[in-house]
């Protein structure tokens, strides 16, 4: 009897653990879906903002702005771009068909879409006093573009950082692949331009320099003299030289051969 009770408790505990894991898994999936949705929304805003920037930004007087385009096809695309930005970014009010390219399978004409854009501007540029203020919609569009452009620059910075990291890792690997050659013949490293990773002011920094001499030849622990590009010349035009076991640094992925 006691054994069956213990078995039941164990099964109950296992079931509870399984349910907890299931809840965690569901929560993770929901968070992932939410993040993916937010990313798609952001990417769409970024894409629309780029398109809008290419055609001169948000329009307040469509009949004037559209004359900048040489043909009807480009004019139509520009008007559609304006309408998309109004709907998806500015959340402008207006009938659904005003934001569509077609109606019941029939493509709208340029004049029809231009008319729709005028209507959208009219509908969304009236303040509480009933006075038309076309600068409101333009200012709102500009503010949104500034926000999205800021995010674009942020994404570019992140991408650049990631690319630099990947390039550094690749160079580190290449340098490590050459280590056996330098261990066998330490003199071969002399004359190499390198990047040396060190801690400076509590920050990890890569210093560029040149290996100028082999001081002690001892395989992996050979000691070299190195001059860094950041080192300033003294009055006698002699650059300061530093001594390090650079092959050990290559092994520890702290030295890259340029």
């Amino acid at each position: 009897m006691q054994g069956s009770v213990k078995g039941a408790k164990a099964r109950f505990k296992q079931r509870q653990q399984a349910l907890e894991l299931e809840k965690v898994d569901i929560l993770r999936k929901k968070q992932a879906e939410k993040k993916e949705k937010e990313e798609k929304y952001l990417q769409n805003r970024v894409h629309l903002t780029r398109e809008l920037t290419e055609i001169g930004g948000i329009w307040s007087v469509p009949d004037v702005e559209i004359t900048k385009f040489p043909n009807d096809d480009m004019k139509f695309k520009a008007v559609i771009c304006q309408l998309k930005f109004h709907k998806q970014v500015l959340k402008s009010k207006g009938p659904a068909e005003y934001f569509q390219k077609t109606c019941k399978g029939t493509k709208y004409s340029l004049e029809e879409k231009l008319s729709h854009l005028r209507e959208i501007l009219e509908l969304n540029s009236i303040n509480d006093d009933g006075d038309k203020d076309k600068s409101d919609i333009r200012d709102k569009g500009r503010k949104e573009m500034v926000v999205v452009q800021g995010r674009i620059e942020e994404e570019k910075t992140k991408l650049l950082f990631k690319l630099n990291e990947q390039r550094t890792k690749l160079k580190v690997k290449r340098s490590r692949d050459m280590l056996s050659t330098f261990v066998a013949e330490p003199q071969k490293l002399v004359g190499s331009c390198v990047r040396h990773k060190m801690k400076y002011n509590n920050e990890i920094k890569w210093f560029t320099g040149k290996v100028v001499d082999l001081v002690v030849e001892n395989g992996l622990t050979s000691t070299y003299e190195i001059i860094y590009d950041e080192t300033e010349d003294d009055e006698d035009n002699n650059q300061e030289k530093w001594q390090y076991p650079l092959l050990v640094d290559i092994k520890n992925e702290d030295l890259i051969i340029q």
Side-chain angles (χ1 to χ4, degrees):
M1 181 70 179
Q2 189 176 0
S4 62
V5 171
K6 285 184 178 179
K9 285 183 178 179
R11 287 192 296 273
F12 178 73
K13 188 175 181 180
Q14 288 175 352
R15 178 58 181 161
Q16 278 188 317
Q17 290 174 341
L19 287 171
E20 286 298 321
L21 289 173
E22 190 177 337
K23 286 179 182 178
V24 170
D25 188 50
I26 290 171
L27 181 61
R28 284 176 180 169
K29 285 181 179 178
K30 285 184 177 179
Q31 289 175 337
E33 287 172 0
K34 183 181 178 182
K35 186 177 180 180
E36 185 180 357
K37 188 176 180 181
E38 289 173 350
E39 285 298 320
K40 283 183 179 179
Y41 174 68
L42 175 63
Q43 288 172 8
N44 188 48
R45 287 173 62 194
V46 169
H47 177 70
L48 287 173
T49 302
R50 282 175 177 163
E51 283 190 341
L52 197 73
T53 302
E54 289 174 1
I55 63 170
I58 195 78
W59 295 351
S60 57
V61 188
D63 294 283
V64 174
E65 300 288 349
I66 203 168
T67 59
K68 298 176 183 178
F69 300 90
N71 56 60
D72 287 352
D73 185 50
M74 293 181 70
K75 289 176 182 178
F76 187 83
K77 288 179 180 178
V79 173
I80 293 299
C81 179
Q82 292 287 324
L83 289 168
K84 280 184 178 179
F85 193 83
H86 273 280
K87 181 184 179 182
Q88 299 179 33
V89 180
L90 298 181
K91 306 298 181 185
S92 298
K93 297 178 293 182
E97 61 269 21
Y98 281 15
F99 300 100
Q100 298 170 355
K101 286 185 181 181
T102 61
C103 180
K104 296 180 180 179
T106 303
K107 185 178 178 180
Y108 283 112
S109 67
L110 172 60
E111 282 304 319
E112 286 173 323
K113 294 317 297 178
L114 195 55
S115 175
H116 291 164
L117 180 57
R118 294 191 201 101
E119 289 291 329
I120 294 298
L121 290 174
E122 292 293 332
L123 286 169
N124 292 275
S125 61
I126 300 176
N127 59 28
D128 294 335
D129 298 324
D131 298 325
K132 294 179 181 179
D133 185 6
K134 291 185 178 180
S135 65
D136 284 353
I137 194 71
R138 185 171 61 247
D139 291 343
K140 187 179 179 183
R142 284 174 179 169
K143 287 176 183 177
E144 182 63 30
M145 287 176 69
V146 168
V147 171
V148 177
Q149 287 288 4
R151 187 58 188 268
I152 291 172
E153 292 304 317
E154 183 182 329
E155 291 299 320
K156 282 182 179 178
T157 302
K158 287 181 181 178
L159 179 60
L160 183 61
F161 180 77
K162 188 176 180 180
L163 287 172
N164 284 336
E165 272 195 329
Q166 290 174 344
R167 287 170 184 160
T168 298
K169 286 179 181 178
L170 183 60
K171 289 178 180 178
V172 165
K173 183 181 181 302
R174 287 175 180 169
S175 297
R176 278 196 56 130
D177 290 343
M178 299 167 67
L179 181 59
S180 59
T181 300
F182 295 128
V183 171
E185 299 180 68
Q187 185 66 35
K188 284 191 173 182
L189 186 63
V190 177
S192 299
C193 293
V194 299
R195 289 175 64 202
H196 200 182
K197 185 170 74 173
M198 290 184 286
K199 195 170 185 179
Y200 180 75
N201 288 339
N202 293 321
E203 289 184 13
I204 300 299
K205 183 178 178 182
W206 287 93
F207 292 88
T208 57
K210 185 175 182 178
V211 182
V212 294
D213 196 12
L214 174 62
V215 180
V216 178
E217 184 173 343
N218 189 30
L220 180 64
T221 58
S222 296
T223 303
Y224 295 86
E225 272 190 345
I226 182 171
I227 294 175
Y228 296 101
D229 295 341
E230 287 81 359
T231 304
E232 296 181 358
D233 294 350
D234 60 22
E235 293 179 357
D236 298 323
N237 201 33
N238 293 319
Q239 290 180 299
E240 188 172 6
K241 298 176 182 178
W242 301 79
Q243 294 186 2
Y244 292 106
L246 298 181
L247 299 185
V248 174
D249 289 332
I250 292 176
K251 182 181 178 182
N252 294 333
E253 301 186 350
D254 291 333
L255 191 87
I256 292 173
I257 301 164
Q258 300 281 64

